[in-house]
Amino acid sequence: DVVPRHSEFDCVVCSKPTTQTCPRCNSINLCNKECQVSQWPKHKEICNTIKQIKKDVYDELAKVKDKHGMFGWMEPSFVEGGPTGDMWEITFYLAMQVHYTHYLIKCGLENESKLAKE
């Protein structure tokens, strides 16, 4: 089933206004199950990639938050120590976010999705 959102965009298949998105990646708008099924062959590969990258980003963020608290890694005392192992951990997390964003944009272009482009 498609997932409801708060903002309204056009369905990438039929162009009807909708607040529902792909349930796996939440990156494209689909107004109903029929549109979801018809778009799946085109969307499948990028959808699976986005879902996995998103999971990896959240897993990495959980490690950082467990170790340093939600914003502890942003404190000046943490940064002043230079590029320690902790700093590389944060850099890796931020790089993963950029990677995730790249695939969202790619999804938006491939599926003509305004949601993924924004």
Side-chain angles (χ1 to χ4, degrees), residues 2 15 21 24 34 50 53 55 67 75 81-82 99-100 106 110-111:
V2 289
S15 299
T21 63
R24 295 176 57 87
E34 292 77 27
I50 288 171
I53 292 171
K55 180 190 176 309
K67 191 169 185 179
E75 295 296 322
H99 188 61
Y100 175 58
K106 183 176 178 183
E110 287 179 5
N111 294 279

Side-chain angles (χ1 to χ4, degrees), residues 2-5 9-13 18-32 35-44 46-47 50 103-117:
V2 289
V3 178
R5 292 185 60 94
F9 290 89
D10 293 341
C11 174
V12 296
V13 177
T18 183
T19 58
Q20 300 178 85
T21 63
C22 170
R24 295 176 57 87
C25 71
N26 298 101
S27 300
I28 63 171
N29 285 84
L30 300 158
C31 66
N32 58 43
C35 287
Q36 181 184 9
V37 169
S38 72
Q39 186 70 8
W40 185 242
K42 181 177 181 180
H43 180 59
K44 181 180 181 178
I46 193 86
C47 181
I50 288 171
Y103 274 94
L104 288 176
I105 293 168
K106 183 176 178 183
C107 176
L109 296 173
E110 287 179 5
N111 294 279
E112 299 173 18
S113 169
K114 292 179 185 174
L115 174 64
K117 290 178 189 176

Side-chain angles (χ1 to χ4, degrees), residues 30-80:
L30 300 158
C31 66
N32 58 43
K33 186 76 170 173
E34 292 77 27
C35 287
Q36 181 184 9
V37 169
S38 72
Q39 186 70 8
W40 185 242
K42 181 177 181 180
H43 180 59
K44 181 180 181 178
E45 184 178 340
I46 193 86
C47 181
N48 289 330
T49 301
I50 288 171
K51 184 178 179 189
Q52 183 59 52
I53 292 171
K54 186 176 182 179
K55 180 190 176 309
D56 294 346
V57 167
Y58 281 106
D59 289 350
E60 195 62 30
L61 177 59
K63 287 183 207 172
V64 170
K65 284 176 21 181
D66 286 348
K67 191 169 185 179
H68 304 288
M70 181 61 184
F71 298 105
W73 56 275
M74 296 172 69
E75 295 296 322
S77 60
F78 179 82
V79 177
E80 287 170 3

